[in-house]
Amino acid sequence: MTDPTAIAHVTELVRTLDRDRYVADLFAPAERRDALFALHAFNIEVSRVREAITNPMAGEVRLQWWSDALIGEARGDVAANPVAAALLDAITTYHLPKEALFALVDARIFDLYDDPMPNVNDLEGYAGETSSALIRLATLVLTGATDKASAEAAGHAGVAYAVTGLLRAFPLHARRGQCFVPLDLLKAHGVGREEAVSGTVTPGLRAALADMLNLARRHYEQAQAALRGVARENLPAFLPLALVPGDLARMERREHDPFVAVPSLPPLARLWRLWRASRSI
């Protein structure tokens, strides 16, 4: 049994830094929430490594620590890290596949560098190994689901949610010279990588970003179709998907400057949308 202080830590971490997933987790059965909070706290830790380091190599060392922790070879007392302790307990309790967690950590290496995303397939693969994997792991906590419908829904939902998040974070990424807009989309509209992060809005850049928006919307629609075959008990893992249409709509407004962050819905409005989506559970 994980130390209650570790559970308190991961719960607060998710509540503070990933409010959407925190609220979604509250719709899960009480006895399974600790594992969901542990899983999502782990995701927070590996996704914010770039913000905590001064160079990519230091980031790789941090990510390697997480990989080592999963196989019991990390330096120091892993149990002293509350997120690692809670995660390892969740892995043991719910027989979570470590391979998916290793892949998630490896995918986050891309975040440490300013290399461009080569093409749409690579973007979908990145989203699949991070966001989709997180949803899939959550369904394993909820029901142990291994059915095709859950896997398909998680795949599409994760891409829709991740691409929407990357579009919302486009101004931040551009300021630090990072570009998640695939090169094949940029080239299709005559835009170079440097132009994409220059801070200057061009018709070509707007067109490339519109393609990203359409990609997110297409996966959202495919996820919605796949969710019809998903057990109701698994639906809390998919609740944040309900926020995607509104986020995309705000970024589609004609006056929107892609280099300026779009204000998020107020917390109460996001909570209401998640609650409304939960009514289908």
Side-chain angles (χ1 to χ4, degrees):
M1 180 69 66
T2 305
D3 186 334
T5 59
I7 294 302
H9 177 86
V10 296
T11 301
E12 181 62 18
L13 190 64
V14 180
R15 189 190 71 81
T16 304
L17 298 180
D18 194 349
R19 187 74 177 181
D20 295 340
R21 286 193 177 100
Y22 171 79
V23 172
D25 290 345
L26 294 179
F27 288 98
E31 68 274 11
R32 298 180 188 268
R33 290 175 196 158
D34 290 353
L36 294 174
F37 289 144
L39 188 61
H40 294 146
F42 160 73
N43 180 64
I44 289 170
E45 292 289 351
V46 297
S47 66
R48 63 175 182 169
V49 166
R50 176 159 177 157
E51 283 68 38
I53 50 92
T54 56
N55 61 77
M57 188 56 65
E60 291 208 33
V61 170
R62 288 204 179 197
L63 291 176
Q64 184 61 49
W65 186 91
W66 281 103
S67 291
D68 291 344
L70 291 171
I71 58 176
E73 296 182 359
R75 291 186 176 184
D77 183 6
V78 173
N81 182 308
V83 177
L87 176 65
L88 291 173
D89 186 65
I91 290 171
T92 300
T93 302
Y94 295 100
H95 309 290
L96 302 181
K98 290 184 179 181
E99 294 79 10
L101 295 164
F102 287 131
L104 192 156
V105 172
D106 286 344
R108 288 297 181 182
I109 294 174
F110 182 85
D111 300 356
L112 306 178
Y113 297 88
D114 295 334
D115 298 333
M117 187 66 71
N119 54 57
V120 170
N121 285 339
D122 288 315
L123 176 61
E124 291 173 320
Y126 170 87
E129 291 181 334
T130 53
S131 183
S132 298
L134 209 58
I135 296 173
R136 188 73 176 126
L137 288 164
T139 66
L140 294 179
V141 170
L142 290 167
T143 66
T146 57
D147 59 289
K148 182 179 179 181
S150 292
E152 181 180 357
H156 290 302
V159 175
Y161 192 72
V163 173
T164 301
L166 291 172
L167 284 164
R168 288 176 58 193
F170 178 79
L172 168 66
H173 293 153
R175 284 195 297 273
R176 65 190 188 192
Q178 193 173 22
C179 186
F180 282 89
V181 183
L183 284 180
D184 58 349
L185 292 187
L186 293 173
K187 290 179 179 178
H189 298 288
V191 181
R193 181 198 173 284
E194 295 307 315
E195 181 182 345
V197 298
S198 67
T200 300
V201 182
T202 65
L205 177 60
R206 284 193 182 278
L209 292 172
D211 285 346
M212 287 245 322
L213 284 161
N214 290 332
L215 176 69
R217 179 169 288 105
R218 184 165 67 251
H219 279 284
Y220 170 82
E221 292 170 352
Q222 291 173 304
Q224 289 294 101
L227 278 169
R228 299 188 189 107
V230 173
R232 294 171 65 87
E233 294 81 2
N234 281 321
L235 295 184
F238 296 91
L239 277 183
L241 185 67
L243 300 169
V244 164
D247 287 343
L248 294 178
R250 285 190 298 281
M251 290 184 286
E252 279 184 318
R253 293 171 182 165
R254 182 170 299 178
E255 71 277 10
H256 170 53
D257 181 345
F259 291 103
V260 176
V262 176
S264 179
L265 275 178
L268 284 178
R270 295 182 81 81
L271 176 62
W272 180 79
R273 292 197 179 192
L274 290 169
W275 175 84
R276 187 176 64 175
S278 77
R279 303 300 288 173
S280 64
I281 296 176

